[in-house]
Amino acid sequence: RASTLVEYFETSKADLVQIPGDHLSDFPEPGPEVWWYSCSQLKKYVPLSDGLKSYEFVRRISSNLFGELHKWSSQNRTGQSEYFVPTVCNTVSWCVLQDIPGKFLGSELEWDTDIEESQWDTLLQREPNKLFHALKY
């Protein structure tokens, strides 16, 4: 029996459960066109090599991590959610990050997903119990 996403993480002690992201050490220094980085105060406090970025539309965050995010925000160490939450978790020693396995990720997961409304039912039948980005018709 395939477990649901909720069942899969039911006993997880992770502070952050997220869609797999990118380690920013894999990228050159982003320029101004990379809005989630260029608008961030966080880059003044955390080296790019310690940064992480991931989709923010599916996340589970522990109360301990929420407290840490509040602390950082109160010190003006902030950033866009794609960058801020996983980077803070990656930076503090106690934070445990767990990625959502691919078996729960649908094919239409990108932020710019654009499908026809008529395709939605077929997609749900073809990929039941998967995560999709909010679809735009």
Side-chain angles (χ1 to χ4, degrees):
R1 174 180 168 278
S3 68
T4 66
L5 181 65
V6 172
E7 291 169 335
Y8 186 87
F9 286 103
E10 191 171 38
T11 60
S12 172
K13 302 294 185 203
D15 294 290
L16 176 59
V17 173
Q18 68 174 12
I19 292 171
D22 298 314
H23 290 271
L24 299 184
S25 59
D26 298 336
F27 296 95
E29 183 80 19
E33 73 284 355
V34 182
W35 62 270
W36 53 265
Y37 182 78
S38 61
C39 300
S40 172
Q41 295 298 313
L42 194 59
K43 65 184 178 185
K44 297 177 186 175
Y45 305 98
V46 178
L48 185 64
S49 60
D50 291 337
L52 293 177
K53 179 181 83 66
S54 70
Y55 286 132
E56 78 280 27
F57 57 90
V58 178
R59 281 192 178 145
R60 187 186 80 180
I61 302 172
S62 72
S63 60
N64 287 340
L65 182 53
F66 266 121
E68 189 71 19
L69 295 169
H70 176 74
K71 184 172 92 177
W72 284 51
S73 296
S74 297
Q75 298 168 352
N76 199 32
R77 297 188 302 175
T78 60
Q80 307 331 83
S81 61
E82 295 92 337
Y83 172 50
F84 181 58
V85 176
T87 295
V88 170
C89 185
N90 191 49
T91 303
V92 295
S93 62
W94 53 262
C95 193
V96 176
L97 187 149
Q98 188 174 3
D99 285 338
I100 297 171
K103 71 179 185 175
F104 295 114
L105 306 179
S107 61
E108 304 298 334
L109 195 62
E110 297 299 316
W111 67 270
D112 58 352
T113 293
D114 188 11
I115 67 168
E116 298 296 320
E117 186 173 3
S118 60
Q119 296 172 296
W120 180 237
D121 287 334
T122 303
L123 181 63
L124 289 178
Q125 289 173 10
R126 188 179 72 224
E127 299 181 54
N129 301 313
K130 302 279 186 171
L131 295 173
F132 300 101
H133 197 279
L135 300 179
K136 302 138 192 105
Y137 300 122

